Amino acid sequence: MVQQFKRIGVLTSGGDAPGMNAAVRAVVRQARDHDVEVMAIYEGYKGLIEGNVRLFDMRDVSNIINHGGTILYSARSPEFKTEEGMQKAIDTCKKHGIEGIVTIGGDGTFRGATDLSRRGIPCIGVPGTIDNDIASTDYTIGYDTAMNTAIQMVDRLRDTCESHFRCNVVEIMGRNSGYIALNVGLATGAAQIVVNELPFDEERMYDEILIGKKRGKRHYIIMVSEGMQGYAEKLTENIQLHTGVETRFTRLGHVVRGGSPTLRDRVIASRMGIAAVNLLLEGRSNMVICMHGEDIEALDIEYALTIDHMYKGKIKEGELERYSIDDIQSMRHYCAKKAADFKTLYNQALDISQ
Ligand code: F6P
């Protein structure tokens, strides 16, 4: 292994996610193990611009693996998107001898990492968001904890629905991604799952609720992803109107973003943190750590962002020009498989929902 760095930085950016602390801990410990110093950068790119940094040692990351949130704090930074903000961030790196950065967060965090890498500060991205909405990776840190928190909440709602013969429409976070809604819906036996990725037949749902009612079913959980943008409240009124089943609305909101990370989040965050430092030590830059199956791998960030754009139907003009035909085909195949897997799980969840 070629060691090229004396001091690196680590930051968390975007929405916090359980397991980010485990990743920070792994970064610090792996780096210190190779005699590389680590600067903690507080509040993401905002802190980098403002010079809000501090040298971390092993003690700073002890007793954090079990804590939710991020000890480095997080913030969204519009200033970082400006040339002036970017220059200030680079000045902070120069002033404090930060030669490379591990950036932990979502797709916005990766765009920032790419901008810094292009300007000579090598960055490695680690996917951290409860949403699991980064298409280039099967897994993002925080996803498992958020879903486990959510199923506990929804199980409680089902108890009270059953007692009162009610329906509960539950809106759950995920930004524009239905992964959390789909899996939590399946895991809590939801009668219907509504996600913005796939069409949903409202009339058919009413019929199914009425059939269930005739059979004596007393509880109905309807799981709606946040990406449906306010539809869940309207649906709550409609269900009561069309089926006569008393219906309540619950938005789980930020509660699913906190709490102690699950084993899966702690383990994956640790593996990803170690992998990110190893890449920097190998002299690599502008890469993002991804998980495919159970394997931790690395992709070029821009390639990963293009996969993400392709999956979300947001390819920019000229974006594919830098890739070979083979690359584009393999991206298309990857995205098609991902979408097909999502649809299969959705259909399976609905097949066993009644
Ligand atoms: O990306 C994580 C997330 O919790 C999304 O699920 C949600 O749409 C968004 O962040 C909420 O953002 P904020 O914390 O700024 O309200």
Side-chain angles (χ1 to χ4, degrees):
M1 198 179 279
V2 190
Q3 182 178 313
Q4 301 207 345
F5 295 91
K6 286 201 175 64
R7 180 180 284 182
I8 62 171
V10 59
L11 63 79
T12 52
S13 169
D16 64 348
M20 279 183 164
N21 285 330
V24 171
R25 171 181 179 270
V27 167
V28 172
R29 298 209 163 169
Q30 183 70 354
R32 293 304 300 133
D33 207 37
H34 289 83
D35 285 331
V36 176
E37 291 179 333
V38 182
M39 288 297 261
I41 301 162
Y42 289 96
E43 292 192 310
Y45 293 117
K46 179 172 176 277
L48 193 60
I49 289 173
E50 293 168 357
N52 189 1
V53 300
R54 180 168 79 79
L55 196 61
F56 255 23
D57 66 23
M58 296 290 213
R59 274 194 335 273
D60 291 302
V61 292
S62 70
N63 195 26
I64 66 166
I65 197 166
N66 52 329
H67 291 167
T70 161
I71 61 159
L72 297 182
Y73 311 132
S74 193
R76 309 200 197 267
S77 171
E79 195 187 353
F80 187 68
K81 292 183 184 137
T82 67
E83 201 43 53
E84 205 193 343
M86 180 62 60
Q87 196 46 55
K88 284 187 193 162
I90 290 167
D91 291 346
T92 301
C93 292
K94 287 194 182 138
K95 182 172 169 198
H96 295 278
I98 299 171
E99 297 164 306
I101 303 179
V102 176
T103 63
I104 305 165
D107 52 359
T109 308
F110 296 163
R111 275 191 293 275
T114 297
D115 292 341
L116 280 173
S117 294
R118 279 200 195 121
R119 288 165 171 84
I121 310 290
C123 289
I124 306 292
V126 171
T129 163
I130 61 162
D131 302 334
N132 199 33
D133 63 345
I134 301 173
S136 60
T137 179
D138 291 346
Y139 194 82
T140 59
I141 296 167
Y143 176 47
D144 188 60
T145 306
M147 291 191 296
N148 277 289
T149 303
I151 62 171
Q152 289 181 27
M153 305 286 160
V154 179
D155 285 349
R156 284 165 169 74
L157 289 172
R158 204 166 55 168
D159 288 347
T160 165
C161 280
E162 175 76 12
S163 306
H164 288 267
F165 193 161
R166 276 181 186 160
C167 173
N168 206 310
V169 176
V170 184
E171 187 192 270
I172 192 156
M173 274 193 173
R175 205 177 288 273
N176 293 312
S177 160
Y179 271 106
I180 298 182
L182 171 54
N183 284 279
V184 171
L186 173 52
T188 55
Q192 183 62 244
I193 302 166
V194 188
V195 291
N196 51 299
E197 289 92 335
L198 294 170
F200 155 64
D201 187 342
E202 205 174 305
E203 294 301 324
R204 190 164 158 205
M205 182 193 66
Y206 299 142
D207 293 344
E208 284 171 357
I209 291 179
L210 290 171
I211 292 169
K213 203 172 157 186
K214 266 196 201 141
R215 283 198 202 125
K217 184 174 163 81
R218 291 181 58 88
H219 66 268
Y220 303 86
I221 296 293
I222 310 296
M223 188 65 55
V224 182
S225 76
E226 181 192 16
M228 293 301 292
Q229 297 178 354
Y231 172 71
E233 279 162 294
K234 184 79 202 134
L235 187 63
T236 304
E237 286 169 23
N238 287 350
I239 291 173
Q240 184 150 333
L241 203 70
H242 286 82
T243 66
V245 176
E246 199 178 357
T247 305
R248 296 283 190 265
F249 170 66
T250 304
R251 176 173 288 128
L252 292 183
H254 289 79
V255 72
V256 299
R257 228 163 75 180
S260 178
T262 57
L263 176 143
R264 185 161 170 79
D265 273 321
R266 297 182 199 194
V267 171
I268 294 175
S270 301
R271 290 175 67 199
M272 287 184 168
I274 291 168
V277 171
N278 287 347
L279 281 176
L280 276 180
L281 297 185
E282 284 164 17
R284 313 279 289 279
S285 170
N286 204 28
M287 310 283 290
V288 59
I289 305 294
C290 293
M291 190 154 175
H292 297 130
E294 288 303 307
D295 296 333
I296 302 286
E297 295 170 347
L299 282 181
D300 174 79
I301 293 190
E302 295 188 37
Y303 185 93
L305 284 171
T306 299
I307 289 181
D308 200 54
H309 296 159
M310 187 179 274
Y311 184 73
K312 293 169 184 164
K314 289 183 179 164
I315 286 285
K316 295 178 201 134
E317 211 186 318
E319 186 175 355
L320 293 179
E321 277 166 16
R322 75 181 91 114
Y323 300 107
S324 69
I325 305 267
D326 283 354
D327 277 347
I328 296 169
Q329 257 172 5
S330 106
M331 284 181 194
R332 287 205 173 115
H333 176 75
Y334 175 90
C335 291
K337 180 170 183 320
K338 200 172 177 85
D341 288 348
F342 185 90
K343 193 171 175 186
T344 301
L345 188 61
Y346 182 83
N347 288 333
Q348 285 173 334
L350 292 195
D351 282 348
I352 56 168
S353 66
Q354 292 307 312

